[in-house]
Amino acid sequence: MKKISEVRSFGGRQLRYEHDSKVLNCTMQFSVFLPQAAAKQSVPAVYFLSGLTCTDENFSTKAGAQRVANELGLALVIPDTSPRGDDVPDDPEGAYDFGKGAGFYLNATQSPWSTHYHMYDYIVDELPALVEQELPLTAQRAIAGHSMGGHGALVIGLRNPERYTSISAFSPITNPTDCPWGHKAFSNYLGDDKDSWKPYDAVEIINAKGQSLPIRVDQGLADGFLEEQLKPEALKSAITAANGDGEVHLHEGYDHSYYFIASFIEAQLRFHAKHLN
């Protein structure tokens, strides 16, 4: 992997890399924050999956997570949200909620998307193997995300409890088999068989298999996508029915933006640190 940039932040190092992804069949970029502690020993990492239209730079520049991550001795690994490049297919109408910037953290099975859109395998296997080999990171991982990335964090954590210690999400798409964003993405990437959608739906996973990892969700009640797309009550009901270890925190007056993330990122990082340590 090739380093693109490095800056100091709260005593640690904010880095950006690119590499050739065999899983996605394209060149990818990702960001990493290494705390001061990483200069002396390997440290655990929180993987943060971003939302629709984002790249790896949105969270690193807007969330203000580095100060607390440095205090807690946590690395932050921030991947892009989809495959990239001139050869990667995109939404023919240029919509923001499908194609580039909207990989939905799944493995596409339908043409032409199946050649490149394997973000699930990229996040679960390829990227951790790369960064843990090249950087001072332990194999201890937590996973978090926002919106589409919150969906990704929930699904990946729930399906791979042996690989993560804890899951958190801001404003996640909790039940994508039952919302417009999910219907559009899943029907195109996965086809019309709705049974093939269920492994990428956090509510369906918990209903079918229960929940073992601790979960923290933060949701703003002034979020314009709350009722139609996000449906936190569906996740809360699934966790309750499964007697799972999870809490959905609702916040009056907060919207879907990075102002919301920046307001509660400290709480989520401290949540992960408790389980990572």
Side-chain angles (χ1 to χ4, degrees), residues 110-181:
Q110 304 299 301
S111 180
W113 318 104
S114 57
T115 301
H116 296 281
Y117 284 78
H118 294 135
M119 288 298 294
Y120 179 90
D121 283 350
Y122 179 70
I123 300 300
V124 173
D125 295 315
E126 187 178 36
L127 184 60
L130 176 66
V131 296
E132 288 168 15
Q133 177 180 341
E134 299 292 334
L135 298 173
L137 302 179
T138 71
Q140 280 189 299
R141 314 172 198 94
I143 193 162
H146 172 230
S147 193
M148 176 187 71
H151 140 75
L154 288 166
V155 166
I156 288 171
L158 287 165
R159 287 178 57 174
N160 300 276
E162 74 286 353
R163 295 183 64 83
Y164 305 94
T165 62
S166 45
I167 307 166
S168 71
F170 293 97
S171 317
I173 306 170
T174 68
N175 196 190
T177 61
D178 189 33
C179 78
W181 279 341

Side-chain angles (χ1 to χ4, degrees), residues 49-127:
L49 311 184
S50 298
L52 293 167
T53 76
C54 290
T55 69
D56 59 294
E57 292 189 291
N58 293 75
F59 180 77
S60 64
T61 59
K62 295 180 179 180
Q66 291 90 346
R67 176 184 62 82
V68 178
N70 188 67
E71 175 195 331
L72 297 172
L74 299 178
L76 304 172
V77 179
I78 310 155
D80 202 348
T81 54
S82 77
R84 301 285 180 175
D86 293 340
D87 295 333
V88 175
D90 199 2
D91 187 289
E93 298 179 356
Y96 76 94
D97 57 356
F98 183 71
K100 292 181 184 179
F104 270 85
Y105 303 101
L106 50 72
N107 291 334
T109 59
Q110 304 299 301
S111 180
W113 318 104
S114 57
T115 301
H116 296 281
Y117 284 78
H118 294 135
M119 288 298 294
Y120 179 90
D121 283 350
Y122 179 70
I123 300 300
V124 173
D125 295 315
E126 187 178 36
L127 184 60

Side-chain angles (χ1 to χ4, degrees), residues 256-272:
H256 198 72
S257 72
Y258 268 84
Y259 293 106
F260 172 53
I261 296 174
S263 299
F264 296 98
I265 188 62
E266 178 170 356
Q268 289 207 6
L269 290 178
R270 292 193 184 282
F271 163 79
H272 289 302

